[in-house]
Amino acid sequence: MTATCTRQDDRLIFAGTLDRAAVATLWPQLQPAIAGTRHFDLTAVTRVDSAGLALLAELAALAGGVHVHGRPAGLDELRTAYRLQDDLSFAA
């Protein structure tokens, strides 16, 4: 499934697989949409790879912190491997 992202109020709603191909497509459209975002909804995401996690972490940093909803396959394992907290910020 092709990855998509829509904005609803202060929430970015992701769907599909967040992988390297998705990052190349989503990054340009998400940079201007990140201002004011406070939530990432990942409940419709099927899988995240390291490129997808990097996208989410960078967007979370640009937003100044977010609440993440949903735990797609790969997210927790990669988050632990890269020492990212639940909000996708780096653990001290």
Side-chain angles (χ1 to χ4, degrees), residues 7 9 28 69 71 76 78:
R7 173 84 186 242
D9 300 321
H69 307 275
R71 293 284 186 244
D76 287 333
L78 288 168

Side-chain angles (χ1 to χ4, degrees), residues 9-49:
D9 300 321
D10 65 349
R11 182 176 300 258
L12 288 179
I13 303 168
F14 295 86
T17 300
L18 293 179
D19 59 10
R20 181 191 290 191
V23 169
T25 302
L26 292 175
W27 178 248
Q29 82 180 54
L30 291 176
Q31 285 179 297
I34 197 64
T37 297
R38 294 289 160 243
H39 301 271
F40 288 174
D41 184 337
L42 306 180
T43 57
V45 173
T46 54
R47 185 176 59 82
V48 175
D49 73 4

